[in-house]
Amino acid sequence: VQLQASGGGLVQAGGSLRLSCAATGTVFRNDIYVMAWYRQTTGMQRELVAAITESNIANYGEFVKGRFAISRDNAKRTVYLQMNSLKPDDTAVYYCKANPLGQANSGFWGRGTLVTVSS
C-alpha cells in the first residue's frame, strides 16, 4: 500500500485548506479499512485529527471543534480533509493513514504534508 498525500501549504489564520490522500496498490483484504489524518509538531506525539470508516462513520480530535470535515471516495480510494477556520496552532505536518477496521495500531502511513498557518 502506498499513500500519497497532497494539499498542504501556507495559509493565513482563518483560511482554509483541503488535504487529499490517495491509496494505491492492494489495500486490505475485503477492502474494509479506516482512513485517517494525524498531525505532528516538533517534539510532540502524533495526534489523531480525524478518521473515517468505509461506511462513512467519522470521528474527530477534540481540538477540531467543527472546523474540519473528513470525507472519502471509496472508488478512488482517496480520503480528504477540509480544514476551515485555521489557526496558527494547526501548524503541523499532517499524515494520512490506512488500517483495517478495528486495528488502529497497524496499517500504513503516508509521507506527511506540511500545513503552516500564519497569524
Side-chain angles (χ1 to χ4, degrees):
V1 177
Q2 289 191 334
L3 300 173
Q4 182 65 48
S6 61
L10 173 64
V11 64
Q12 286 189 330
S16 298
L17 279 175
R18 188 189 194 213
L19 306 183
S20 300
C21 177
T24 59
T26 302
V27 186
F28 299 105
R29 200 180 96 187
N30 297 327
D31 257 358
I32 299 174
Y33 55 100
V34 176
M35 296 192 82
W37 289 97
Y38 288 74
R39 71 183 189 184
Q40 188 172 25
T41 55
T42 303
M44 301 294 288
Q45 285 190 335
R46 200 168 290 188
E47 61 180 350
L48 175 70
V49 178
I52 186 167
T53 68
E54 192 85 12
S55 53
N56 292 316
I57 298 171
N59 66 287
Y60 297 89
E62 288 189 7
F63 58 86
V64 169
K65 295 183 179 178
R67 299 181 298 126
F68 299 174
I70 190 169
S71 60
R72 64 190 281 171
D73 183 329
N74 291 331
K76 296 181 179 179
R77 293 183 172 179
T78 299
V79 64
Y80 306 96
L81 184 68
Q82 177 67 43
M83 302 187 293
N84 301 322
S85 302
L86 284 162
K87 306 173 183 178
D89 284 349
D90 294 318
T91 295
V93 178
Y94 285 70
Y95 298 88
C96 66
K97 179 175 182 277
N99 60 265
L101 184 64
Q103 298 181 35
N105 291 329
S106 66
F108 297 89
W109 291 93
R111 298 181 69 175
T113 183
L114 177 62
V115 172
T116 303
V117 184
S118 63
S119 58

